[in-house]
Amino acid sequence: MAFFDIFRKKKNSTPETEAPSVPEAAPVAEAESSQSFLGKLKAGLSKTSDKFTGGLENIFLGRKTIDEDLLEELEELLITSDMGVQTSMKIIESVREEVSRKTLKDPAELRNSLKRKILEIISMDNSLNQVEEKPYMVIVVGVNGTGKTTSIAKLAKMFKDSGLKTVLAAGDTFRAAAVDQLAVWAERAGVPIIRQAEGSDPAAVIYDAVQSAKAKGFDVLIADTAGRLHNKFNLMKELEKIFRVIRKEMPSAPHEVLLVLDATSGQNALAQAKKFHEEVGITGIILTKLDGTAKGGAIIGIVDELRIPVKFIGFGEGMDDLRPFDAESFVEALFRTDSDEADKG
């Protein structure tokens, strides 16, 4: 199933009423695109990878056996790589068990074991939820400065490029110029936007957007929300109100609640994820700004602790610099070494 096949076919539907099929990319073009994005991912994760794999190489240098000193240094590296204390301890405890069973005997085997363990943690089903009703409703949440606005536009372009008629709702009405900013990005993405005056009730804006999207036959509606009111309590209450008014029109909506997290915020991102998940129930994460940080490992701890999948990953300002998350590619990029790059040269 293609990533953007979001509509289940209704029973007894005719060809005219079935959900639109998503055009498949040509195999060669898709392969080239995947290779290109993997290269961008490796470049984007380079600071995180340099810190983590460089640390591994320093720990393993000259060592032929796995002892307690090595494990303590490794645990410290995992923690300082922003994977979180709980997740780091969990990984090290698992390594200790393998060492005690003698299934791990040297640092080379340990490196491969770490790759497997991290891959197991972040390998969750991150496909988009499938529904029958339209429009497919996506609520995007997150604090200001995470790249929420640009992520919404890039997400809209991906839906549009997959053959789905997409519209945006400008629900961040309290931040100065937020609506205008989203309108600029909507134009770049080539999708319309539903908006009201700055300071309007966000819930009313999104309610009107749902009604308009239904009336005009849009497939997908992506709604922006406030990243900050004057305190967190008011922010969460406003989000709860938005959810209530949406469900008056579409009881099963929103179909996705995506939290935008800034990779540069490290462990602060975990605190944000916990708070939003407690209040509104996050269905997936959009991880941004990987290219500007050595703290990309934080996402491993977030997924491990909250069991929320990463659905999209992004870096850079380009409209195509957001893609569906692939765990294997992420781990491959994380464990990139200088010798790996030299071999390709």
Side-chain angles (χ1 to χ4, degrees), residues 43 49 73 82 193 201 209 211 234 266 287-288 290 296 312 330 344:
S49 178
E73 290 180 42
D82 283 277
I193 181 172
D201 180 0
Q211 290 187 314
N234 279 359
L287 185 65
T288 66
L290 272 174
F312 298 94
F330 183 89
K344 292 179 181 179

Side-chain angles (χ1 to χ4, degrees), residues 302-318:
I302 292 170
V303 173
D304 183 43
E305 290 196 37
L306 301 183
R307 304 314 298 160
I308 302 171
V310 181
K311 298 211 173 184
F312 298 94
I313 188 169
F315 34 80
E317 291 296 313

Side-chain angles (χ1 to χ4, degrees), residues 276-307:
F276 277 99
H277 192 45
E278 286 172 2
E279 298 294 339
V280 296
I282 304 303
T283 62
I285 292 168
I286 300 176
L287 185 65
T288 66
K289 303 186 183 180
L290 272 174
D291 50 332
T293 184
K295 299 179 178 181
I299 196 62
I300 298 166
I302 292 170
V303 173
D304 183 43
E305 290 196 37
L306 301 183
R307 304 314 298 160

Side-chain angles (χ1 to χ4, degrees), residues 25 39 42 46 81 89 113-114 119 140 156 165 183 190 193 298 315 343:
K42 287 182 177 180
S46 61
S81 296
M89 292 176 65
S113 177
L114 287 173
L119 182 59
V140 182
K165 189 178 177 184
I193 181 172
F315 34 80
D343 289 343

Side-chain angles (χ1 to χ4, degrees), residues 3-6 125-131 133 135-141 155 159 220-223 225 243 246-247 252-259 280-286 308-312:
F3 192 84
F4 290 96
D5 279 344
I6 54 176
D125 178 10
N126 70 336
S127 57
L128 296 174
N129 294 319
Q130 284 195 314
V131 300
E133 65 182 340
Y136 189 82
M137 181 76 189
V138 181
I139 294 286
V140 182
V141 300
L155 188 61
F159 277 113
V220 179
L221 169 61
I222 305 174
T225 60
F243 279 55
I246 290 172
R247 286 168 181 154
S252 67
H255 307 115
E256 290 282 355
V257 182
L258 302 180
L259 170 65
V280 296
I282 304 303
T283 62
I285 292 168
I286 300 176
I308 302 171
V310 181
K311 298 211 173 184
F312 298 94

